[in-house]
Amino acid sequence: MTTILVDLLEHPSASIPQATGDEGQAKATYRFYANARVTTEDILHGFATETARRCLDHDVVLSVQDTTTLNYTGLHSIPELGPIDSGGLARGVHLHTTLALTTSGEVIGILDQQYWARPQKGQPGPEEKESDKWINGIDACRTILYETAGDRPVPRVIHVMDREGDTYEVMMTVEDVGDSA
């Protein structure tokens, strides 16, 4: 998996064959992605656990959340993509990431990622509100930190969000869990 990540990080806009640079490695990468035992959740949990381990070396950790939109309008063959603009012409997915940073701004790693596509016009919407992403990020951050810590002390967590996360429900969640925002 490390080789796959390095290839994709070094060539983020390349296709898999271009990024791997060799037919055998491209085939291995496709097999990895096609393996039913490899799930998004398992990969994310591995990243989050390693990030949480590194967080335990700090007294204070910033948990920074933000959403980005990935535009895949040109990929017409993927029906799971949803509208990402007000007119419904651009298609893609939304990616909400919770990063752990030191107080000096050094990135420790990813604690959580959520992704979704908005429904097409006429399709039913999700049961959960999109704004719940902030609370889900707080919960995921705390869960992985405490799960990883065991008997070790958990650092003080300061949640950092843009003004979209400045809602009563989010602020009450931060207060209820005893963290700072």
Side-chain angles (χ1 to χ4, degrees), residues 82-119:
I84 58 172
D85 65 336
S86 59
L89 300 175
R91 298 178 54 222
V93 295
H94 300 281
L95 180 68
H96 187 79
T97 302
T98 304
L99 284 177
L101 279 75
T102 66
T103 54
S104 63
E106 179 185 336
V107 175
I108 300 170
I110 296 172
L111 289 168
D112 183 52
Q113 279 195 319
Q114 306 162 57
Y115 60 92
W116 66 94
R118 291 184 178 140

Side-chain angles (χ1 to χ4, degrees), residues 83 88 118-126:
R118 291 184 178 140
Q120 300 286 346
K121 261 191 176 168
Q123 291 180 333

Side-chain angles (χ1 to χ4, degrees), residues 16 18-19 26 28 33 35 39 53 55 66-68 74-75 85 88 95-96 124 126 138 147 165 178-179 181:
I16 289 174
Q18 291 170 333
Y33 287 133
N35 186 334
T39 67
R53 277 192 198 109
C55 287
D66 202 7
T67 306
T68 190
L75 299 176
D85 65 336
L95 180 68
H96 187 79
I138 293 166
E147 179 183 290
D179 291 343

